[in-house]
């Protein structure tokens, strides 16, 4: 269903509210948990006395897209659709959040690149050395260089990091420490 502002919708029990709309007739109980987190349905009535006081979310004559009608019957006029609805604004806010790499992730990435660089240099250096000094054919030198590349990748790196992190978390838990999202704390500290 494609709605535009100004369309009239009829809401009955069990209907999903298709867009943000102002009630013009009737009343409904609406599940607002998608927007407010409240588990109890909220009563929405047309032409209520406290309809437009404070924030839009508290207006008692407005139903919001993404909510569900629990009970009642009402007619409403659509005033916002898509990303212009309250649910759309929440979605837009959540899309702005970027995730920073933790210091550990940055260090592991640096170590992995360093290991890859050393392995590549050793592999490339062996090709002329194997051909000229060891008397191997070019094909055998390349095969051995590929073997060196594979052998220089540490298979135990990730399990070692995981074990070290698990031991660190266990020590922190024993001492009663609570740590959550350290990169965010560093940024907060810079803003103060």
């Amino acid at each position: 269903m494609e709605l535009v502002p100004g369309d009239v919708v009829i809401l009955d029990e069990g209907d999903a509210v298709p867009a943000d709309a102002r009630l013009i007739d009737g009343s409904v109980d609406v599940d607002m948990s998608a927007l407010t987190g409240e588990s109890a349905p909220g009563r929405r009535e047309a032409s209520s006395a406290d309809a437009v006081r404070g924030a839009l979310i508290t207006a008692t004559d407005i139903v919001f897209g993404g909510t569900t009608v629990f009970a009642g019957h009402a007619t409403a006029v659509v005033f916002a659709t898509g990303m212009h609805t309250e649910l759309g604004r929440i979605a837009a806010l959540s899309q702005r959040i970027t995730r920073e790499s933790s210091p550990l992730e940055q260090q592991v990435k640096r170590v992995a690149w360093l290991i890859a660089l050393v392995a590549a240099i050793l592999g490339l250096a062996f090709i002329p050395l194997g051909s000229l000094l060891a008397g191997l054919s070019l094909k055998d030198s390349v095969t051995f260089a590929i073997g060196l590349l594979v052998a220089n990748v540490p298979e135990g790196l990730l399990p070692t990091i995981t074990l070290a992190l698990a031991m660190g978390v266990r020590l922190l838990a024993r001492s009663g420490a609570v740590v959550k999202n350290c990169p965010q704390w560093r940024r907060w500290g810079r803003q103060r």
Side-chain angles (χ1 to χ4, degrees):
M1 166 172 32
E2 293 185 19
L3 292 174
V4 294
D7 284 353
V8 176
V9 293
I10 297 173
L11 302 171
D12 283 313
E13 185 175 328
D15 287 346
V17 179
D20 289 1
R22 184 174 303 277
L23 297 178
I24 55 175
D25 183 40
S27 64
V28 290
D29 291 333
V30 182
D31 174 16
M32 301 279 289
S33 62
L35 295 173
T36 64
E38 294 290 329
S39 59
R43 185 79 171 163
R44 301 295 183 194
E45 299 175 348
S47 303
S48 62
D50 59 345
V52 192
R53 288 188 188 153
L56 186 65
I57 195 81
T58 61
T60 58
D61 67 335
I62 294 179
V63 290
F64 299 97
T67 60
T68 306
V69 178
F70 269 171
H73 174 81
T75 306
V77 176
V78 173
F79 67 87
T81 59
M83 291 301 280
H84 300 290
T85 63
E86 287 299 306
L87 200 59
R89 287 188 183 105
I90 291 170
L93 288 173
S94 66
Q95 290 174 351
R96 290 183 200 160
I97 296 174
T98 58
R99 183 182 173 280
E100 287 184 18
S101 297
S102 70
L104 177 66
E105 289 173 320
Q106 293 170 359
Q107 289 175 353
V108 168
K109 191 181 291 186
R110 247 184 268 131
V111 167
W113 276 106
L114 179 65
I115 290 170
L117 180 67
V118 167
I121 290 172
L122 286 175
L124 290 174
F126 184 79
I127 293 174
L129 291 175
S131 295
L132 299 175
L133 298 177
L136 297 173
S137 68
L138 183 62
K139 180 182 174 187
D140 290 339
S141 293
V142 170
T143 303
F144 197 81
I146 292 172
L148 277 176
L149 284 169
V150 172
N152 281 318
V153 176
E155 293 177 11
L157 181 63
L158 291 178
T160 303
I161 291 171
T162 304
L163 182 63
L165 288 174
M167 290 172 40
V169 167
R170 190 171 74 190
L171 289 172
L172 288 172
R174 281 186 186 159
S175 64
V178 177
V179 178
K180 182 182 176 192
N181 211 355
C182 289
Q184 298 296 335
W185 287 355
R186 280 187 294 125
R187 186 173 31 188
W188 178 74
R190 279 186 253 137
Q191 291 174 352
R192 288 180 79 194

